[in-house]
Amino acid sequence: MKTGPKKWHEKFPLANGIRQSPVNIITSNTKTSNDLSMNPLRWTYVPENTKCLVNPGYCWRVDVNGKGSELTGGPLNNDIYLVEQFHCHWGCSDGRGSEHTVDGQAFSGELHIVHWNSSKYKSFQEAAGHPDGLAVLGVFMKVGERHEELDQIARLMPFISHKGDRVTIKSLDPAKLLPKNRAYWTYEGSLTTPPFNESVTWILFKEPMEVSAEQLNLFRELRVYDVNEECPCDERNWLVYDEVEEQGEKVGKIINNFRPPLDIGNRELREVGG
Ligand code: SG7
Ligand code: ZN
């Protein structure tokens, strides 16, 4: 294995930083935050501003025009964070695939809705260079009922089967991907992929979303290589995750695209509601 999460620090030293993500959430070590409860997390999304669904070779991602799609309140100091994109992490089989874990337990997937601080910065790129630049909403996925809103994406997987493929999406409401119960955990962390910027306020909902086994299986059919590529495992790609090569028939499929949890150190993990 020439790459994978354990090697990422060789090219991106920040991967060994002290504010890295994901982490394991130890539920008995969280601090209940009354300040945060006083200022609820609030969001408005414009479903029509969803632009396209892409396969970048390491996940599926929906790019969004952030205009009018705002996240604020809670740990965000009332700054307005605009949505940039959302994407997903998953495993090769059920029960693994999430980046964050809860009391050592992984979920079958994790949805990330990525936002940037438009009150302080001019662009996503600029925001990504500052400690209060980004906010990611995370929702754990567990196997159960088919998720209706997610199906708008899942059923398009055959159309983005190869790296570089993209399809237009007319309308999709990110709010419908969030759980009913707004209780969450929050801590200061980083991007979970290179370049690992330590600029993310993580907000993880306690209530997972239910997705069907079929929906996850559609994700697992995506490929890491483009239509014209012979070799499915491109060693130039620093995002190739561990174990993907060792999966037999699953060689070249996007699976296990999660970074394992890192030490939370002396960072505070606050909990709100629930
Ligand atoms: C996914 O997670 C992608 C990346 C994203 C990365 O691999 O969605 O984004 C792109 C443009 O492909 O990286 C800079 C960025 O947003 C890390 O995001 S995450 O920390 O929320 N997992
Ligand atoms: Zn992510």
Side-chain angles (χ1 to χ4, degrees), residues 56 58-59 61 85 87 89 99 112 114 124 136 190-195 200 202 239 241:
Y58 42 84
C59 64
R61 191 183 75 226
Q85 52 109 325
H87 64 267
H89 305 263
E99 300 211 290
H112 288 156
V114 183
F124 174 84
V136 182
S190 73
L191 294 176
T192 63
T193 63
V200 180
W202 279 95
L239 257 164
Y241 291 80

Side-chain angles (χ1 to χ4, degrees), residues 104-164:
Q105 282 293 118
F107 289 80
S108 299
E110 192 171 328
L111 175 76
H112 288 156
I113 309 184
V114 183
H115 308 73
W116 60 278
N117 188 338
S118 68
S119 297
K120 286 199 174 162
Y121 310 111
K122 290 200 176 59
S123 66
F124 174 84
Q125 280 70 23
E126 190 199 343
H130 296 269
D132 59 354
L134 305 179
V136 182
L137 291 180
V139 188
F140 294 115
M141 291 176 163
K142 72 169 191 194
V143 178
E145 294 282 297
R146 187 178 70 106
H147 193 289
E148 214 175 300
E149 196 68 8
L150 189 73
D151 214 52
Q152 307 252 39
I153 298 167
R155 65 173 187 232
L156 292 175
M157 290 298 126
F159 299 98
I160 59 156
S161 57
H162 288 84
K163 179 182 171 183

Side-chain angles (χ1 to χ4, degrees), residues 19-252:
R19 188 190 149 167
Q20 289 291 296
S21 294
V23 297
N24 175 38
I25 291 157
I26 300 170
T27 53
S28 61
N29 276 0
T30 58
K31 267 205 178 152
T32 307
S33 175
N34 292 324
D35 301 1
L36 288 185
S37 319
M38 305 287 285
N39 184 9
L41 195 61
R42 304 180 296 282
W43 55 80
T44 34
Y45 291 113
V46 185
E48 296 74 30
N49 283 356
T50 306
K51 291 190 298 196
C52 59
L53 171 68
V54 295
N55 172 351
Y58 42 84
C59 64
W60 57 255
R61 191 183 75 226
V62 174
D63 291 330
V64 183
N65 168 1
K67 209 164 170 248
S69 290
E70 306 181 349
L71 174 68
T72 190
L76 305 178
N77 286 322
N78 291 328
D79 283 353
I80 306 281
Y81 285 68
L82 298 182
V83 70
E84 173 77 6
Q85 52 109 325
F86 53 94
H87 64 267
C88 193
H89 305 263
W90 59 88
C92 58
S93 52
D94 299 347
R96 63 186 308 206
S98 67
E99 300 211 290
H100 292 87
T101 53
V102 178
D103 293 327
Q105 282 293 118
F107 289 80
S108 299
E110 192 171 328
L111 175 76
H112 288 156
I113 309 184
V114 183
H115 308 73
W116 60 278
N117 188 338
S118 68
S119 297
K120 286 199 174 162
Y121 310 111
K122 290 200 176 59
S123 66
F124 174 84
Q125 280 70 23
E126 190 199 343
H130 296 269
D132 59 354
L134 305 179
V136 182
L137 291 180
V139 188
F140 294 115
M141 291 176 163
K142 72 169 191 194
V143 178
E145 294 282 297
R146 187 178 70 106
H147 193 289
E148 214 175 300
E149 196 68 8
L150 189 73
D151 214 52
Q152 307 252 39
I153 298 167
R155 65 173 187 232
L156 292 175
M157 290 298 126
F159 299 98
I160 59 156
S161 57
H162 288 84
K163 179 182 171 183
D165 289 348
R166 66 175 59 218
V167 289
T168 304
I169 292 193
K170 280 215 187 81
S171 169
L172 191 135
D173 191 357
K176 290 193 179 149
L177 299 172
L178 302 177
K180 281 201 191 73
N181 188 329
R182 297 187 168 211
Y184 64 88
W185 292 291
T186 182
Y187 77 99
E188 303 294 307
S190 73
L191 294 176
T192 63
T193 63
F196 304 107
N197 298 26
E198 296 187 330
S199 56
V200 180
T201 301
W202 279 95
I203 298 167
L204 299 160
F205 289 100
K206 293 185 187 180
E207 185 187 326
M209 69 195 284
E210 277 191 29
V211 309
S212 66
E214 291 75 21
Q215 290 179 314
L216 283 167
N217 279 333
L218 285 164
F219 300 169
R220 295 177 187 130
E221 286 302 313
L222 296 180
R223 287 136 217 264
V224 302
Y225 55 97
D226 70 47
V227 170
N228 304 311
E229 222 169 344
E230 290 286 320
C231 171
C233 299
D234 185 346
E235 280 165 7
R236 291 166 302 178
N237 179 2
W238 274 80
L239 257 164
V240 173
Y241 291 80
D242 274 335
E243 294 181 68
V244 173
E245 291 180 28
E246 292 141 40
Q247 298 294 331
E249 77 204 39
K250 290 175 181 157
V251 166

